[in-house]
């Protein structure tokens, strides 16, 4: 069918709103009419070539909407169901069966290669194949094809524009602290970067009952929001260039946990110097290619510290998204404070506003008819 999509054609270039052709759903595919889709930094990393992804492409991996058609073997959802989408996993490998689908052995093939595993692309523009299946969805479009493993039926009370970013950014931040780091009550947490993921980590830390929550963020409005969401201290890196010293001025023994959303090597180095004995650093920010592990074994070893990568907050979306929706319902996850909605065709303006720091989480909305 003909759909409208925000096409990425040039690294670093604007998205363009175009008409393209989407395959009908195969037996295992679910066609979703998109009502809202969040913009995640990874969409821009894929567009800009820092993550190899063949262009032209339809990106977008925080889609939510209404099931419009299902393939013959689909039983999890039916036409008319409200759904959110997340990353795709196989459901059959040891990681998936162990409750860790974010570390599915086929994660790259199912999420990042721009085509179905059989090599086909579900989207074309004229004769030109368009990379698709980004995170098993490619939802910067009026319609997307998803799978049982990456759709979740939504309760009726959560608006699409709040549900959409749960599928990546929010679960990455909140899950990073609640599930991956599992920060215990009273522990200390350093969050570097106060964007949507970092502020979701702050909300997660408040839910966990962390005693000290320090946020490093250059934008004043985001530091203010961090304090509203539960941060106990904020640091402006422009004012305190020696980050480790600024953190140790707050907590001389260092931080029990750190959560980095920046991927910036110099910040990661500083964070290592701010960790307490047995401190754990979880990294979700994408570093430049070739970045070595931060810190040095001469410190990590005697102090028993841990550095680990975290994908999607260690979340199993089927289990964790309902938990997050429950936290939203009871006011512990005030998604409204992060989300700013823009019409779908304003995607470039929305991304520019996010870069300027005018808003935290951009969610694009599409007409419901
Ligand atoms: C990203 C995390 C870093 C590796 C690529 C995928 N996930 C979500 O945006
Ligand atoms: Zn993402």
């Amino acid at each position: 069918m003909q759909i409208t999509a925000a096409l990425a054609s040039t690294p670093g270039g604007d998205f363009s709103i175009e008409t393209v052709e989407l395959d009908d759903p195969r037996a295992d595919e679910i066609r979703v009419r998109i009502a809202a889709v969040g913009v995640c930094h990874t969409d821009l990393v894929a567009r800009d070539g820092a993550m190899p992804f063949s262009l032209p492409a339809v990106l977008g991996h925080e889609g939510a909407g209404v099931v419009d058609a299902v393939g013959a073997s689909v039983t999890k959802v039916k036409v008319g169901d409200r759904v959110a989408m997340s990353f795709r996993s196989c459901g059959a490998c040891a990681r998936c069966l162990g409750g860790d689908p974010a570390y599915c052995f086929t994660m790259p093939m199912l999420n990042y290669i721009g085509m179905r595993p059989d090599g086909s692309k579900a989207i074309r523009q004229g004769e030109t194949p368009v990379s698709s299946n980004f995170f098993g969805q490619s939802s910067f479009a009026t319609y997307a094809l998803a799978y049982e493993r990456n759709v979740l039926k939504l309760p009726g009370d959560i608006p699409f524009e709040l549900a959409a970013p749960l599928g990546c950014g929010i679960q990455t931040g909140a899950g990073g602290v609640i599930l991956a780091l599992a920060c215990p009550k009273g522990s200390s947490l350093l969050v570097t970067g106060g964007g949507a993921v970092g502020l979701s980590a702050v909300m997660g830390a408040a839910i966990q009952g962390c005693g000290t929550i320090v946020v490093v963020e250059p934008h004043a409005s985001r530091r203010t929001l961090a304090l509203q969401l539960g941060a106990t201290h904020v640091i402006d890196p422009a004012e305190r260039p020696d980050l480790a010293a600024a953190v140790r001025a707050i907590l001389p023994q260092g931080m029990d946990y750190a959560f980095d959303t920046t991927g910036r090597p110099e910040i990661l180095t500083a964070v290592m110097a701010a960790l307490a004995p047995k401190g754990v650093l979880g990294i979700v920010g994408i570093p430049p290619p070739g970045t070595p592990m931060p810190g040095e074994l001469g410190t990590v070893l005697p102090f028993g510290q841990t550095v680990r990568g975290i994908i999607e907050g260690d979340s199993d979306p089927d289990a964790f998204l309902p938990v997050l929706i429950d936290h939203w319902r009871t006011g512990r996850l005030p998604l409204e404070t992060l989300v700013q909605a823009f019409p779908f065709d304003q995607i470039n303006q929305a991304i520019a506003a996010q870069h300027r720091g005018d808003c935290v989480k951009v969610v694009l909305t599409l007409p419901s008819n």
Side-chain angles (χ1 to χ4, degrees), residues 40-43 61-62 135 167-169 172 312 361:
C40 171
H41 184 61
T42 305
D43 295 308
H61 62 286
E62 292 183 343
F135 284 78
C168 185
T172 296
E312 299 289 347
K361 183 71 195 183

Side-chain angles (χ1 to χ4, degrees), residues 92-106:
C93 72
R95 292 294 173 273
C96 285
L97 294 173
D100 261 331
Y103 307 96
C104 172
F105 289 138
T106 53

Side-chain angles (χ1 to χ4, degrees), residues 31-165:
R31 188 168 68 210
V32 178
R33 180 165 55 80
I34 305 297
V37 54
V39 177
C40 171
H41 184 61
T42 305
D43 295 308
L44 309 182
V45 170
R47 178 196 66 184
D48 297 345
M51 168 183 183
F53 204 79
S54 156
L55 303 181
V58 177
L59 300 162
H61 62 286
E62 292 183 343
V66 178
V67 175
D68 172 72
V70 295
S73 67
V74 172
T75 57
K76 186 180 183 185
V77 291
K78 59 181 191 317
V79 171
D81 282 349
R82 305 173 78 245
V83 293
M85 286 174 274
S86 190
F87 65 92
R88 189 180 173 202
S89 56
C90 77
C93 72
R95 292 294 173 273
C96 285
L97 294 173
D100 261 331
Y103 307 96
C104 172
F105 289 138
T106 53
M107 185 82 177
M109 186 174 73
L110 297 180
N111 291 277
Y112 313 139
I113 63 169
M115 57 191 86
R116 299 185 182 98
D118 71 359
S120 64
K121 296 190 174 182
I123 301 177
R124 284 167 312 287
Q125 191 178 40
E127 297 300 299
T128 309
V130 174
S131 293
S132 60
N133 280 70
F134 191 52
F135 284 78
Q137 47 182 294
S138 286
S139 45
F140 284 164
T142 47
Y143 292 84
L145 292 177
Y147 301 83
E148 287 192 331
R149 288 287 303 171
N150 71 324
V151 298
L152 174 96
K153 207 175 151 184
L154 288 172
D157 58 337
I158 185 160
F160 286 123
E161 64 267 27
L162 298 185

